[in-house]
Amino acid sequence: MSYDVTRTTLQGMTHFPPPAEELRLLDAELFHLDARRAQLLRRRAWLVTALQTPAPPPPRPTVAARPEATAPRVQNVLLMLGGVLLLIAATAFTLVSWGDLGISGRATVLGAVTAATLAAPVALLRRGLRSTAESVAGLGLALTVLDAYALHGAVFTGAEGAPYTAIVSALLAGLWLAYGLLPPLKDLALPLPAAVLAAQLPLFYSALALDADAYGVTAALLVTAAFDTVVALRATAGLVRFLAVVGAYGLGGSGVWAAGSLSWTATGPSAAARAAALLLLAATIALAAAWRGTSAQDTAPGTGLPATQGTGHAFGLSIASALLLVAALGGMARSALPGTWTVPVHLACGIALLAAVRADRLPETVRRGFGAASGAVQALAVVWTLPVVAVTLLGPVAWVTHAWSGAPADLREAVTVDAPWPPDAATAPLVLVAVAAVLALAVRHTDWRPRALTGALVLTWAAVLTLPAVLELPYTLGLLMLGSVTGVILASPYGQPTATVLALATSANLGFAALASQSATLTALGALTAFFTVVSWRFTAVTAPAALAYATTLACAIGAAADWQPQYTALLVLAVPVSAALLAARLKEPRATVTVEVTGAVAALLALTLAATDLPMLALVLSLCGVIAAGTALRPDRHTVGYASAALFLLATWVRLAAWEVDTPEAYTLPVTVPALFVGFLRRRRAPETSSWTAYGPGLAATLLPSLVMAWGDPHWTRPLLLGLAALSLTLLGGGYSLQAPLVLGGSVLTLDALHELAPYIVQVTDALPRWVPPALAGLLLLALGATYERRIRDVRRMRNILGRMS
């Protein structure tokens, strides 16, 4: 239809049936709907009935019974049982019936049974019965062992156990190898693994038969491990290779342990040389295996090389080879040198391994293994020096309990006040310097270079720190050297911020070591204070707090040296918070400002602690601290410190009144309260947004709190009554003018004052009541609170909102 057809044309084309015809159509449609509805209702009723009746379980599908054992498994079990039974029978014949036959009978039976058993697998393999052939071949191999035992019991009765075992195991290994390599029997899996097992015994028992010493037995173990290594590298059969690998690692590990023990316990160059030869043999075996294993990765499949010699095996064997080489050479040198040179010699050998890392002729995996071994040797050498470093760094702390007891003769005595000096520690600085040099010169990788330089800095610092104690330098010279180290390492352009931390640690070590002598303490603390003050322009966030801390310690030391009482020393300590406040006002770095202010606050707290035993001096110190806080509050970003200043002044006033033993503090506090309230009133008139706590809080607290303290100890009624009336007035004024400070302070003081007045009556009532009444009242109170908990919470929130809206 065209889109140009008009609406009038469409309405003229629409067909409307006559009314009678349309009514008939509607009735027919309603009839069909009623019939469909009745059908659906019947179906619904049937479904409801079906759901209410429990349905029978569905029938279980029938599954065919599966066999519990497969045919190959049954076959293997039967063959194994048959072989075991035949072996038992042959053993019983050998042990029981052997003596009933003559020489010829014995030889006939022995040869016939063994030959028949070993020959049977040929025919079985031709018929395709491989499993049966394996079982019979295993029985034949077991019979050869029984034959050897029978020959020893009947023919070679005079042979000793070790020589006979060595010869028989060698013959059996050769026999089983030849048997397994025969063309008709090359498919058998048992003869070659059995030959590998038998080959583990000849050399060991030969060494025992020749009465060899520990060196000979160890050599036998290592040579056998070398044989296993060759077999593992060249064998293709999985079981043969597995047994060879187990033998190589097991016997090689035992040989290495024995050789290492012999090297460590060697008492002379000859014994050390023989042990070193054994270690070199083990190192050669491990290196050859690693090299061959690395080459196997680049060989195409099908060459017969073992697939199990991966990069991980080669890497581990390279590390083991390098460590064995270090142990061998180091053991030889150790036998000819004093004990203090043991670690340096091994370290020198470990550093020499780095030359192999740069050798292009070595495989990459081997070079990485040598590098890892060198790093391990250097790490162990550094660990050996840790006791010396710990004693040197932490030992002087013990002078805190022995301060000014007398200067020691040398610095070693200064660091070993309560700790012993580690033995053979004379070469510890040399070890640290050597490892530091390796880190600084050998590590060239871009990512690791900064870390290596930082590590070299730390190791050099540790070497220089321990050097005065190791050399037993005179006490004064050692302190000077520690001071020089502090300056040099702080000025280092490398390794920041590590160098700053090391400088602080060195300065602390110097400060503790200087506690042995009064003059040394004052000189060292003065020098450290001056030094860190001078360098604060560079590392303000760290050195400025350090200068303040040493200044605080110097002030305490000066007071102790002058035999001042602690409260007078507190005045000298207050110079540190003053300096901190002045310095913090000039600093631009926020982190440095915070650290300086925290250090000053700690010094002020120390001053308060020193003055706590003398109330007049404590009041003076509190006032001075208030002045410092007030000066700090003048800075735009530290206005909140003004609250602390007001609190300090208030505390100073109270302490002064307590020192004067004033009975009526109101005579001194009211003259302060009235002007303070007037100033607060004027400030709120000029700035209505000012909080009532700022305007009226300090003035009200200056009188209310001391009066409350005095009221609690006053046995008369006058002061509590006047204080209660004043607190009630303040509470009403605060509520009437919506001022939070008068309301809270007045209400709190009024409550406490009322409790003080009612306390005697409460005590009397409590004594008069039975013991069960207070718990009962408490329980009723809790029940009442629980019943109206939600309403109470709403009331508390309303009260909090009211207080929050107050100024």
Side-chain angles (χ1 to χ4, degrees):
M1 178 184 295
S2 174
Y3 289 100
D4 297 332
V5 178
T6 62
R7 183 181 301 273
T8 304
T9 306
L10 290 174
Q11 291 179 355
M13 295 175 61
T14 304
H15 174 70
F16 292 99
E21 181 66 19
E22 186 177 359
L23 179 62
R24 185 183 66 79
L25 293 176
L26 291 176
D27 290 338
E29 189 67 25
L30 291 173
F31 175 77
H32 290 301
L33 289 176
D34 291 338
R36 180 60 178 167
R37 184 174 185 276
Q39 181 182 2
L40 293 175
L41 288 175
R42 288 194 298 271
R43 181 61 180 172
R44 179 182 181 278
W46 184 88
L47 290 175
V48 171
T49 305
L51 289 175
Q52 293 176 353
T53 304
R60 299 180 60 182
T62 59
V63 181
R66 297 177 59 184
E68 296 183 357
T70 60
R73 184 176 299 178
V74 173
Q75 171 188 333
N76 294 334
V77 171
L78 294 177
L79 292 175
M80 183 183 66
L81 290 177
V84 170
L85 292 176
L86 289 176
L87 181 61
I88 292 174
T91 304
F93 173 78
T94 303
L95 297 177
V96 179
S97 302
W98 183 260
D100 298 336
L101 301 176
I103 297 297
S104 59
R106 297 174 185 176
T108 301
V109 173
L110 183 65
V113 173
T114 304
T117 305
L118 293 177
V122 178
L124 293 174
L125 288 174
R126 289 177 180 175
R127 295 177 177 271
L129 303 175
R130 180 172 179 175
S131 299
T132 306
E134 292 282 1
S135 300
V136 175
L139 178 61
L141 299 179
L143 285 176
T144 56
V145 178
L146 291 176
D147 293 343
Y149 173 77
L151 289 174
H152 181 267
V155 180
F156 305 105
T157 55
E160 296 183 1
Y164 186 78
T165 302
I167 296 173
V168 168
S169 58
L171 292 176
L172 288 177
L175 174 63
W176 294 345
L177 177 62
Y179 182 73
L181 294 178
L182 291 175
L185 303 174
K186 62 181 180 179
D187 294 333
L188 293 178
L190 290 179
L192 295 182
V196 173
L197 288 177
Q200 310 300 311
L201 304 178
L203 291 178
F204 178 74
Y205 280 100
S206 297
L208 295 181
L210 296 175
D211 294 331
D213 55 4
Y215 296 93
V217 175
T218 304
L221 292 175
L222 292 176
V223 172
T224 305
F227 165 77
D228 292 332
T229 303
V230 174
V231 174
L233 291 172
R234 299 188 62 86
T236 57
L239 185 56
V240 173
R241 188 169 60 246
F242 173 76
L243 293 175
V245 169
V246 172
Y249 279 108
L251 296 179
S254 301
V256 167
W257 180 266
S261 301
L262 293 173
S263 177
W264 186 257
T265 58
T267 57
S270 176
R274 287 188 291 169
L278 296 174
L279 291 173
L280 289 176
L281 174 60
T284 303
I285 296 171
L287 180 60
W291 201 315
R292 181 69 173 176
T294 304
S295 301
Q297 302 305 307
D298 303 328
T299 305
T303 57
L305 291 175
T308 57
Q309 292 294 328
T311 306
H313 283 277
F315 182 67
L317 290 172
S318 301
I319 295 176
S321 174
L323 293 178
L324 290 173
L325 180 61
V326 171
L329 300 179
M332 290 181 61
R334 181 181 56 83
S335 63
L337 296 173
T340 188
W341 290 97
T342 299
V343 174
V345 166
H346 285 80
L347 177 61
C349 297
I351 294 175
L353 292 175
L354 295 177
V357 177
R358 301 184 180 277
D360 296 334
R361 300 182 61 182
L362 292 177
E364 175 65 22
T365 304
V366 175
R367 287 190 286 141
R368 288 194 299 109
F370 273 54
S374 177
V377 173
Q378 296 178 59
L380 291 175
V382 172
V383 169
W384 173 76
T385 64
L386 290 182
V388 183
V389 177
V391 170
T392 305
L393 187 61
L394 302 178
V397 179
W399 282 109
V400 173
T401 58
H402 305 281
W404 297 356
S405 58
D410 54 62
L411 202 63
R412 181 178 295 185
E413 293 183 10
V415 302
T416 56
V417 183
D418 293 332
W421 183 253
D424 298 332
T427 55
L430 177 62
V431 170
L432 293 169
V433 170
V435 179
V438 171
L439 289 176
L441 299 177
V443 180
R444 296 295 181 182
H445 195 275
T446 306
D447 296 335
W448 291 94
R449 181 69 176 169
R451 302 177 186 178
L453 291 178
T454 302
L457 176 65
V458 174
L459 293 176
T460 305
W461 165 80
V464 178
L465 181 70
T466 58
L467 188 61
V470 169
L471 298 179
E472 299 183 71
L473 296 180
Y475 178 68
T476 305
L477 181 60
L479 295 183
L480 291 175
M481 188 171 180
L482 291 176
S484 302
V485 171
T486 303
V488 171
I489 199 168
L490 186 62
S492 173
Y494 303 103
Q496 298 294 345
T498 304
T500 304
V501 175
L502 297 179
L504 292 176
T506 309
S507 65
N509 183 259
L510 171 60
F512 283 116
L515 290 175
S517 170
Q518 176 178 319
S519 59
T521 301
L522 296 176
T523 304
L525 292 177
L528 289 174
T529 303
F531 170 74
F532 280 105
T533 302
V534 171
V535 299
S536 293
W537 62 271
R538 183 178 178 186
F539 309 108
T540 309
V542 178
T543 55
L548 294 173
Y550 285 122
T552 304
T553 310
L554 177 61
C556 295
I558 291 175
D563 201 16
W564 290 351
Q565 294 183 1
Q567 59 269 23
Y568 299 108
T569 305
L571 294 177
L572 188 59
V573 172
L574 279 180
V576 176
V578 174
S579 303
L582 295 176
L583 178 61
R586 298 176 61 87
L587 294 176
K588 304 300 182 182
E589 185 182 358
R591 185 178 62 176
T593 303
V594 172
T595 56
V596 168
E597 290 176 342
V598 169
T599 308
V602 172
L605 183 60
L606 176 61
L608 292 174
T609 304
L610 292 173
T613 57
D614 187 80
L615 291 181
M617 189 61 68
L618 178 60
L620 177 60
V621 172
L622 283 170
S623 300
L624 295 177
C625 290
V627 172
I628 298 172
T632 304
L634 295 177
R635 292 162 48 192
D637 57 339
R638 291 292 187 269
H639 285 327
T640 55
V641 183
Y643 297 106
S645 174
L648 288 171
F649 283 127
L650 190 60
L651 287 174
T653 303
W654 295 346
V655 172
R656 173 55 64 182
L657 294 176
W660 286 341
E661 298 181 358
V662 174
D663 295 333
T664 57
E666 294 82 3
Y668 299 91
T669 58
L670 283 175
V672 176
T673 296
V674 173
L677 294 178
F678 181 72
V679 171
F681 174 75
L682 294 179
R683 181 175 180 181
R684 279 184 60 85
R685 287 189 62 181
R686 288 195 302 266
E689 69 276 4
T690 304
S691 172
S692 63
W693 287 104
T694 303
Y696 305 124
L700 293 176
T703 297
L704 289 177
L705 297 182
S707 298
L708 180 62
V709 173
M710 296 300 297
W712 271 85
D714 193 345
H716 305 288
W717 59 270
T718 306
R719 177 180 280 111
L721 177 61
L722 296 177
L723 179 63
L725 292 175
L728 178 60
S729 302
L730 288 175
T731 304
L732 295 177
L733 288 174
Y737 289 97
S738 299
L739 298 176
Q740 191 177 109
L743 178 63
V744 174
L745 286 176
S748 301
V749 172
L750 179 62
T751 303
L752 294 175
D753 186 64
L755 287 176
H756 171 263
E757 293 303 307
L758 294 177
Y761 302 100
I762 295 174
V763 171
Q764 293 178 3
V765 172
T766 303
D767 292 338
L769 292 176
R771 296 293 179 90
W772 57 269
V773 174
L777 294 176
L780 291 175
L781 178 62
L782 292 177
L783 289 177
L785 290 176
T788 60
Y789 185 73
E790 184 177 0
R791 191 178 64 185
R792 302 301 179 192
I793 291 178
R794 186 173 62 249
D795 295 340
V796 170
R797 289 176 178 173
R798 185 182 299 111
M799 180 60 68
R800 184 184 63 185
N801 294 332
I802 293 173
L803 290 175
R805 287 194 296 270
M806 291 183 179
S807 59

